[in-house]
Amino acid sequence: AADVADTPVYVWATAGARALSDEQQRQLWRVVTEAVRTRADFFLPAAGSASEAGHFRTIAGAEEGYFAWLAANYVKGVDMTRVGSDDAPLERETVGALDVGGGSAQFVALESADFGSAGASSERRVAAVSLDALAESVYARSYPGVGAAHAEARARRDAAAAAKAQGLSETTFACGFKGHEQTTDGVVLTGSGEYDACVELVAKILRDTLEEDKETDAPFTLAAPANALGARHERAFLGMSLLFHVTHFLHVA
């Protein structure tokens, strides 16, 4: 408790906030900033300063992926805060991160020019003078709109639009639990729980969403560059967020 006043606080938002308009985000951050200033005693820079804006902001997809990657490596015992020292982690020790959230998904891994050559980087330490510099050596790709919440919302909207085109006010929804009703855009969608049909629907939603990504050159590919995959070194990847929840559910079930 004695250190709270000297501890800076950062509130950053990810894909859900990126989906909002600029004006909605400005309103959001005004409210959040005021709430933190009035209800918490953490250290913050002067109100209205440029530094304050850095404490309350919406981060880009690549940033979100990078921080997920740092966390994934820390969980596996690879402390990236050691970069820039003689005790920096070895490149082969690093893991990649696969992060699937509600709004987006991220693929992140350390890039290495000769990772394709067996043994080339087996004893080489991660070369970076700081965490900021390290970000330049990390392949981080964010896929907007393919997180679970956004993908489901789009699937429901598409199902409702298809029903309206046929003059229907209700229809079945393959990805919904059997018998569960939800109204979307004035159309009652009743879950049918058809697994195979749902898989096809999700695949189409993901393909359409990714191809519409303005940062993507058609045709779209999910393939990551070989120097990020590190295939010959059998680089491990840590599944995070919803990937963890799914596997944990299957384990419990």
Side-chain angles (χ1 to χ4, degrees):
D3 294 326
V4 169
D6 297 318
T7 303
V9 61
Y10 295 83
V11 184
W12 292 353
T14 55
R18 290 197 293 272
L20 301 176
S21 69
D22 290 344
E23 179 56 30
Q24 288 174 320
Q25 291 189 52
R26 281 192 288 271
Q27 293 180 25
L28 170 69
W29 290 122
R30 279 198 296 268
V31 172
V32 171
T33 302
E34 179 63 22
V36 174
R37 282 198 173 278
T38 57
R39 302 182 189 182
D41 296 322
F42 290 105
F43 171 78
L44 284 170
S49 65
S51 295
E52 181 190 56
H55 284 248
F56 301 93
R57 66 187 181 95
T58 303
I59 64 174
E63 287 182 283
E64 179 181 355
Y66 179 57
F67 288 118
W69 178 78
L70 290 176
N73 277 278
Y74 189 80
V75 165
K76 297 297 291 183
V78 184
D79 184 3
M80 288 300 172
T81 64
R82 291 167 20 214
V83 296
S85 72
D86 294 336
D87 191 33
L90 298 174
E91 289 188 0
R92 62 174 171 78
E93 294 178 319
T94 66
V95 298
L98 300 172
D99 185 6
V100 180
S104 65
Q106 278 73 234
F107 175 102
V108 200
L110 179 69
E111 288 189 293
S112 179
D114 53 4
F115 230 121
S117 303
S121 58
S122 60
E123 298 302 325
R124 190 169 61 192
R125 298 194 178 276
V126 177
V129 297
S130 66
L131 287 176
D132 286 338
L134 176 61
E136 300 300 318
S137 302
V138 173
Y139 175 83
R141 182 64 192 272
S142 182
Y143 303 96
V146 302
H150 287 198
E152 179 185 358
R154 174 162 182 165
R156 290 186 178 278
R157 289 195 304 270
D158 287 357
K164 283 184 175 181
Q166 300 177 50
L168 302 175
S169 60
E170 57 183 49
T171 188
T172 58
F173 182 59
C175 293
F177 289 113
K178 286 185 178 180
H180 179 263
E181 294 184 356
Q182 181 172 324
T183 301
T184 300
D185 296 338
V187 177
V188 177
L189 304 178
T190 303
S192 59
E194 301 170 84
Y195 180 82
D196 291 338
C198 179
V199 169
E200 292 182 10
L201 176 61
V202 170
K204 182 180 184 304
I205 290 292
L206 296 184
R207 186 169 57 252
D208 292 348
T209 301
L210 293 171
E211 288 180 350
E212 292 165 7
D213 178 6
K214 292 181 174 58
E215 296 181 1
T216 300
D217 295 326
F220 181 84
T221 175
L222 284 169
N227 61 353
L229 290 170
R232 294 192 184 184
H233 292 270
E234 298 183 342
R235 168 177 280 158
F237 282 81
L238 193 66
M240 306 174 70
S241 302
L242 288 171
L243 294 178
F244 169 79
H245 294 309
V246 169
T247 52
H248 184 251
F249 165 76
L250 293 174
H251 172 73
V252 173

